Amino acid sequence: MTSGNQAVHKIALPIRIAIDPMERLLVASFKGDPEFEMIEPQIFDDPMNGKGMRVLRYRNDQKVDVYWQPGVKTDRSTISIGGGIGDFQEVNIEPARFEVTDRGVDLHLAFTDAQKRTVEFKILENTLVNNRFPLLAPVGKDIDNPLRLFLVYMHEFDFVRKKGTEVLARIGDRELLPASFPILRNYKKVMLMRYSAAPVIGTINPPMDIPVVFEVTGPGSVEVDGMRVFVDEYGKTNQISAGQELRKVEVDFDPGFPNVLDLSEGTTEEGRWTFRISDIVITGGTYNLMRRGDSVGVEIDVTENWKPSGLPLSFEIFTQLVRSFRSWPTTYKWRGIVRLNDTLSMDGTWIRKGKR
């Protein structure tokens, strides 16, 4: 933070971003099963989420089962996936191995589900070619009532090859059959099992009842709520960031996002914002603010498609043909109200444009 004779600004900002740490994840799709579409093992090792494995099961009724090991912190109120949560249970997962090696995926997990069935999932890949690439996962595409905007950028992303790979997936006495993916990878057939050895998960505006409030000597920066906020000489926020190095998310505002405490009655402000992960532009859009009486209406609209770079040609074509891979973030919009009372309060929600 700068010092000297410059003015101290008290700032109220109705925007929060964060990193949701995760070490590895894999999403495996199956065909023809009467109950389940996908299984997703995740690995954590951080103070926020704890250490160990969490497993999601995506059901045909659009609900998602959530199982996790002791030592993994799982908060139901922070999970917004699919059509809602089904099973939600801490279990012993043994084995709980999930590594990505120079030969590919080495995964083996087993646990007993809420229906007293043994769940087992094993992948042992054996490939010499591992030129992985980055991909934005369309995780928010099917969320009906999002609690926040999730942007999962998967470094070291790839599909599991068919040839030479051992796969076992079963629930009770029923075996699950891996689904195929129609595009060749390095001229080899692959399964619809995709993984990332280094995912970066950025989030924007979770549920919150107060804005981010801080003081800064401008122009300058300050650490608040796990973010670094950069403010110009007029008290407007030019940038917010969270995390560091490869696992870093940033939002830039042009012009700077106004301090809601400085808005005059009847004032309307607007501008653009850009969201970056690992210094790579992922999406962006517009913002609008309007003060009426003691309330400031805020709208943050996502209007920019993801524009991938570094994809293999076949996947470049695929993400152009399947437009939702690039366009799904633009179905999100956040609307909120900041109340300029003595305590400062706010509420807001994400909506899916085009969905009712």
Side-chain angles (χ1 to χ4, degrees), residues 15-265:
I15 301 175
R16 281 183 173 86
I17 63 170
I19 289 279
D20 191 355
M22 184 182 295
E23 297 299 308
R24 292 176 293 284
L25 83 160
L26 179 142
V27 183
S29 295
F30 302 96
K31 60 182 179 182
D33 190 77
E35 282 187 276
F36 298 103
E37 295 180 349
M38 297 184 294
I39 293 179
E40 179 179 337
Q42 306 168 338
I43 294 293
F44 300 96
D45 188 3
D46 64 87
M48 179 187 300
N49 295 301
K51 183 174 182 177
M53 178 179 286
R54 182 167 68 191
V55 180
L56 309 185
R57 292 192 309 191
Y58 294 80
R59 297 173 6 184
N60 292 337
D61 64 4
Q62 305 307 307
K63 290 187 180 295
V64 180
D65 298 334
V66 183
Y67 292 92
W68 66 95
Q69 284 184 298
V72 175
K73 304 171 187 177
T74 302
D75 183 350
R76 190 185 190 107
S77 68
T78 66
I79 298 175
S80 176
I81 44 182
I85 295 174
D87 302 342
F88 190 78
Q89 187 173 324
E90 180 181 286
V91 294
N92 291 320
I93 304 177
E94 181 59 40
R97 184 175 72 250
F98 181 5
E99 301 293 339
V100 178
T101 73
D102 57 0
R103 311 285 292 189
V105 173
D106 180 5
L107 180 148
H108 192 191
L109 66 90
F111 63 91
T112 301
D113 68 10
Q115 294 74 40
K116 308 302 181 184
R117 299 173 297 185
T118 297
V119 177
E120 185 176 12
F121 186 28
K122 182 178 182 180
I123 302 173
L124 184 59
E125 197 175 11
N126 184 21
T127 179
L128 295 175
V129 181
N130 283 301
N131 52 335
R132 303 179 184 113
F133 56 94
L135 189 80
L136 180 68
V139 293
K141 183 171 70 69
D142 298 321
I143 298 175
D144 297 328
N145 299 297
L147 297 178
R148 67 203 74 203
L149 175 56
F150 272 98
L151 292 162
V152 181
Y153 195 62
M154 298 191 290
H155 295 285
E156 295 290 309
F157 172 86
D158 213 338
F159 286 80
V160 175
R161 275 67 165 177
K162 277 189 175 182
K163 187 175 181 180
T165 299
E166 178 186 349
V167 176
L168 170 66
R170 64 183 180 91
I171 295 178
D173 296 329
R174 189 175 73 252
E175 186 173 347
L176 280 67
L177 302 177
S180 297
F181 192 64
I183 296 177
L184 297 180
R185 177 78 176 106
N186 293 320
Y187 307 104
K188 304 293 184 182
K189 292 181 179 180
V190 297
M191 291 173 279
L192 192 48
M193 295 183 179
R194 52 279 195 203
Y195 66 92
S196 172
V200 182
I201 304 173
T203 64
I204 307 175
N205 273 21
M208 49 189 178
D209 54 15
I210 58 172
V212 180
V213 180
F214 58 94
E215 292 186 347
V216 61
T217 304
S221 66
V222 64
E223 294 271 0
V224 57
D225 288 3
M227 304 183 296
R228 178 160 288 277
V229 184
F230 297 83
V231 176
D232 66 18
E233 63 269 30
Y234 305 108
K236 294 187 174 184
T237 298
N238 292 325
Q239 184 188 89
I240 53 179
S241 66
Q244 56 187 344
E245 298 176 357
L246 177 69
R247 289 178 172 166
K248 184 177 184 180
V249 297
E250 299 165 285
V251 179
D252 298 311
F253 300 99
D254 181 24
F257 196 93
N259 178 10
V260 297
L261 300 178
D262 289 344
L263 293 178
S264 303
E265 166 65 24

